[in-house]
């Protein structure tokens, strides 16, 4: 195995030895070399030869390519990604110096990467604690969101049961007839009779009472939600049984989220939905017309399309009002948007209120260099009665930039060449010092005391 330059795998070799639970003496015996030579290899004072790679692969049944994952080039790439963070923007960091650090001092590179990972995690935790308030208590809403996100917004049991029930409902001629066959009568009543309820189940008389002012998609969703809470109750209970929630409220909200998931799956069964998605190139409005659903319902369903082996573009969804209050977060991506996404005013999800009903697309770049594609539009909930103002919110679907060309909204575009808007998850986590839209300084930065100069951005920061 010819090599153009020496291969140093010190940190990788040390990590491998510890993962295997071996001492240097035992590994040396396995490889038929001296313990002192193992120590030299782990300190990068000796390169790993082709013969040594072969011995490692043979002794521990490893793939040679896996052993060489943490080479100098890999460290250089990862360190370069870290150093793109705006917190380092005022430091001259030539690419040659970064490469020299990674090639000559991989141990220091590994330490830097670990420190940066710990730093970003702690920053996010601090920002989340600020949002939770001084008590530091877990918000039940956030806890329910995390419960859903932990499953990547996909529950195979609910999907399978929903497809079975959807087939039964179709055969029966619709949800109302299916419920009638189960002994449940559906009645539509005026809002004043229901007293501010959209849906109420009268168990004594086995009647499902719905607000008569609901439009078609809303009626269908409320019917499906009732079916989810009743016909799928054992399935919901099983999913919640093994999870320890910090409060009864968090469990109630998680059950509500699961019921909403199940209702959406009933209205748009997985197999039929993904066929419609493929045929229409993720065109949300076209898919909504096909299923007789709303923009929001389809956007919600897209986040759920994560069946192993039959998944689609992973999306993150956020819904907010004009004041920036976030009322829904659905995450199937694992990106940082999950808990804190939304506040940055440079994101067009805030500006779509100026053009109700129009879709706005935008390429986004986070401070760490990650790129995403956003599809945003307003959605309106009407009360159905004269004199009641409609409720207008903004919905945004976000996917990784490389997945965007699979949708009609970015078809034929090259993500790497698209003009991006630099945004932050929140001002507290964004270290872009030149941002004019900043509301508060980021965590960990000291404001520069300078009474003689007023910069264009709200704050100037000291270098240390």
């Amino acid at each position: 195995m010819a090599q153009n330059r020496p291969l140093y795998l010190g940190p990788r070799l040390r990590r491998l030895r510890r993962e295997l639970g071996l001492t240097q003496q035992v590994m040396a015996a396995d490889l038929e070399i001296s313990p002192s030579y193992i120590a030299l290899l782990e300190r990068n004072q000796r390169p790993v030869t082709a013969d040594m790679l072969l011995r490692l692969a043979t002794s521990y049944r490893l793939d040679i390519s896996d052993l060489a994952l943490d080479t100098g080039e890999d460290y250089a790439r990862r360190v370069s990604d870290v150093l793109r963070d705006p917190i380092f923007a005022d430091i001259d960091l030539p690419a040659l110096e970064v490469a020299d650090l990674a090639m000559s001092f991989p141990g220091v590179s590994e330490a830097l990467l670990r420190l940066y990972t710990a730093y970003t995690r702690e920053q996010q935790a601090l920002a989340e604690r600020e949002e939770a308030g001084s008590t530091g208590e877990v918000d039940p809403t956030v806890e329910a969101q995390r419960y859903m996100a932990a499953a990547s917004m996909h529950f195979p049991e609910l999907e399978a049961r929903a497809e079975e029930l959807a087939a039964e409902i179709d055969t029966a001629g619709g949800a109302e007839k299916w419920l009638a066959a189960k002994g449940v009568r559906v009645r539509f009543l005026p809002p004043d009779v229901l007293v501010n309820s959209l849906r109420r189940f009268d168990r004594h008389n086995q009647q499902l009472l719905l607000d008569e002012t609901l439009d078609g998609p809303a009626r269908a969703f409320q019917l499906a939600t009732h079916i989810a809470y009743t016909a799928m109750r054992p399935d919901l209970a099983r999913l919640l049984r093994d999870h320890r929630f910090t409060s009864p409220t968090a469990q109630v909200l998680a059950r509500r989220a699961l019921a909403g998931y199940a209702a959406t799956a009933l209205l748009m069964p997985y197999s039929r939905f993904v066929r419609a998605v493929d045929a229409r190139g993720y065109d949300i409005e076209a898919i909504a017309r096909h299923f007789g659903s709303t923009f929001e319902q389809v956007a919600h369903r897209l986040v759920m399309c994560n069946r192993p082996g039959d998944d689609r573009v992973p999306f993150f969804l956020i819904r907010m009002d004009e004041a920036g209050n976030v009322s829904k977060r659905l995450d199937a991506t694992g990106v940082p948007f999950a808990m804190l996404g939304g506040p940055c005013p440079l994101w067009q999800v805030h500006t779509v209120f100026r053009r109700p009903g129009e879709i706005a697309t935008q390429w986004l770049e986070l401070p760490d260099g990650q790129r995403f594609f956003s599809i945003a539009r307003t959605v309106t909930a009407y009360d159905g009665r004269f004199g009641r103002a409609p409720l207008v919110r903004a919905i945004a679907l976000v996917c990784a930039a490389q997945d965007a060309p699979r949708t009609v909204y970015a078809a034929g575009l090259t993500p790497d060449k698209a003009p991006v808007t630099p945004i932050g998850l929140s001002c507290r986590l964004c270290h872009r010092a030149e941002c004019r839209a900043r509301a508060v300084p980021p965590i960990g930065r000291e404001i520069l005391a300078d009474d003689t100069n007023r910069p264009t951005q709200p704050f100037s920061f000291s270098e240390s």
Side-chain angles (χ1 to χ4, degrees):
M1 179 177 174
Q3 297 181 27
N4 295 326
R5 56 173 173 245
L7 179 64
Y8 292 92
L9 298 178
R12 176 72 179 102
L13 183 60
R14 186 184 305 113
R15 188 159 62 247
L16 170 65
R17 179 174 59 78
R18 290 174 178 172
E19 287 172 355
L20 294 171
L22 305 177
T23 63
Q24 289 183 341
Q25 289 78 7
V26 173
M27 177 172 272
D30 290 344
L31 301 177
E32 299 179 351
I33 57 177
S34 68
S36 60
Y37 192 69
I38 290 287
L40 291 172
L41 288 171
E42 290 187 354
R43 292 198 298 268
N44 275 336
Q45 293 177 350
R46 292 289 187 278
V48 176
T49 63
D51 176 64
M52 186 58 60
L53 270 179
L54 188 59
R55 291 191 197 187
L56 284 164
T58 303
S59 298
Y60 303 118
R61 298 180 181 180
L62 301 171
D63 190 312
I64 290 180
S65 62
D66 289 339
L67 283 170
L69 280 176
D70 291 333
T71 60
E73 287 114 348
D74 183 57
Y75 273 128
R77 177 187 58 77
R78 293 164 62 197
V79 171
S80 295
D81 289 343
V82 164
L83 296 178
R84 292 179 63 186
D85 192 302
I87 197 172
F88 303 117
D90 57 347
I91 304 175
D92 183 23
L93 297 166
L96 185 59
E97 288 188 13
V98 176
D100 284 346
L101 171 69
M103 294 298 297
S104 303
F105 304 99
V108 176
S109 301
E110 177 71 18
L112 173 63
L113 293 169
R114 290 185 188 182
L115 280 173
Y116 183 76
T117 300
Y119 156 77
T120 52
R121 286 176 179 170
E122 186 62 22
Q123 278 214 318
Q124 185 161 342
L126 284 169
E128 289 179 12
R129 283 200 289 272
E130 284 190 5
E131 285 201 347
S134 58
T135 63
E137 295 180 358
V138 178
D139 184 330
T141 305
V142 173
E143 187 174 357
Q145 291 170 353
R146 287 174 175 167
Y147 170 80
M148 300 295 287
S152 299
M153 281 300 297
H154 185 71
F155 298 89
E157 308 97 317
L158 295 185
E159 293 287 358
R161 182 66 177 135
E163 294 213 66
E164 292 175 5
L165 286 172
E168 290 181 19
I169 291 168
D170 287 344
T171 302
E176 289 184 55
K177 292 182 179 179
W178 185 87
L179 285 169
K182 304 293 181 183
V184 177
R185 179 187 177 194
V186 178
R187 295 182 62 195
F188 296 92
L189 300 175
D192 55 338
V193 175
L194 285 176
V195 193
N196 294 323
S197 292
L198 296 178
R199 181 191 77 252
R200 188 193 308 157
F201 183 49
D202 179 356
R203 293 183 183 276
H204 179 71
N205 295 305
Q206 287 293 292
Q207 293 185 130
L208 177 61
L209 311 177
L210 298 179
D211 186 332
E212 66 181 12
T213 64
L214 294 173
D215 60 17
R219 286 187 178 191
F221 183 76
Q222 292 303 327
L223 285 166
T225 301
H226 173 76
I227 294 172
Y229 271 123
T230 53
M232 302 175 74
R233 181 178 295 276
D235 304 282
L236 302 182
R238 271 195 301 274
L239 288 169
L240 295 169
R241 186 180 302 137
D242 296 330
H243 188 86
R244 298 187 65 179
F245 294 93
T246 60
S247 68
T249 300
Q251 186 172 29
V252 167
L253 292 174
R255 184 167 62 248
R256 181 185 297 177
L258 286 174
Y261 179 106
T264 305
L266 278 168
L267 295 173
M268 292 169 275
Y270 198 97
S271 299
R272 281 159 46 192
F273 184 76
V274 295
R275 286 198 299 269
V277 167
D278 293 341
R280 292 162 181 80
Y282 293 83
D283 188 328
I284 301 171
E285 291 170 315
I287 299 168
R289 286 192 294 272
H290 176 73
F291 284 99
S293 300
T294 65
F295 185 94
E296 181 173 353
Q297 288 171 350
V298 172
H300 191 164
R301 189 60 169 133
L302 282 170
V303 182
M304 299 154 56
C305 290
N306 303 303
R307 178 180 288 172
D310 193 22
D311 57 340
R312 296 301 185 273
V313 171
F315 284 104
F316 165 81
L317 180 146
I318 193 169
R319 185 183 70 188
M320 67 178 64
D321 61 23
E322 276 194 270
N325 299 307
V326 176
S327 55
K328 181 181 289 186
R329 282 190 176 99
L330 304 174
D331 177 41
T333 62
V335 300
F337 283 98
M339 287 298 108
L340 296 170
C344 184
L346 301 178
W347 188 5
Q348 285 186 352
V349 68
H350 297 281
T351 63
V352 292
F353 292 100
R354 303 171 194 168
R355 304 184 304 278
E358 294 184 20
I359 290 180
T361 62
Q362 187 180 23
W363 299 88
L364 308 171
E365 184 176 79
L366 294 182
D368 63 1
Q370 292 186 81
R371 290 192 173 193
F372 299 92
F373 183 72
S374 169
I375 306 159
R377 204 202 80 165
T378 57
V379 294
T380 305
Y382 293 96
D383 188 87
R385 289 175 285 175
F386 177 75
R388 300 289 290 268
L391 183 60
V392 181
R393 298 187 180 102
I395 291 277
L397 272 177
V398 181
C399 68
Q402 65 266 24
D403 290 327
R406 296 169 62 182
T407 72
V408 295
Y409 307 103
L413 301 180
T414 304
D416 292 341
K417 297 180 179 179
V420 297
T421 301
I423 71 165
L425 296 179
S426 73
C427 289
R428 286 299 196 188
L429 295 178
C430 181
H431 287 269
R432 289 192 172 99
E434 72 283 358
C435 180
R436 297 172 59 194
R438 177 178 296 283
V440 293
I443 294 171
R445 295 299 297 271
E446 293 294 329
I447 297 176
L448 182 66
D450 187 352
D451 297 336
T452 64
N453 179 45
R454 175 60 170 90
T456 56
Q457 66 271 16
F459 305 100
S460 293
F461 306 109
S462 60
E463 295 184 3
S464 61

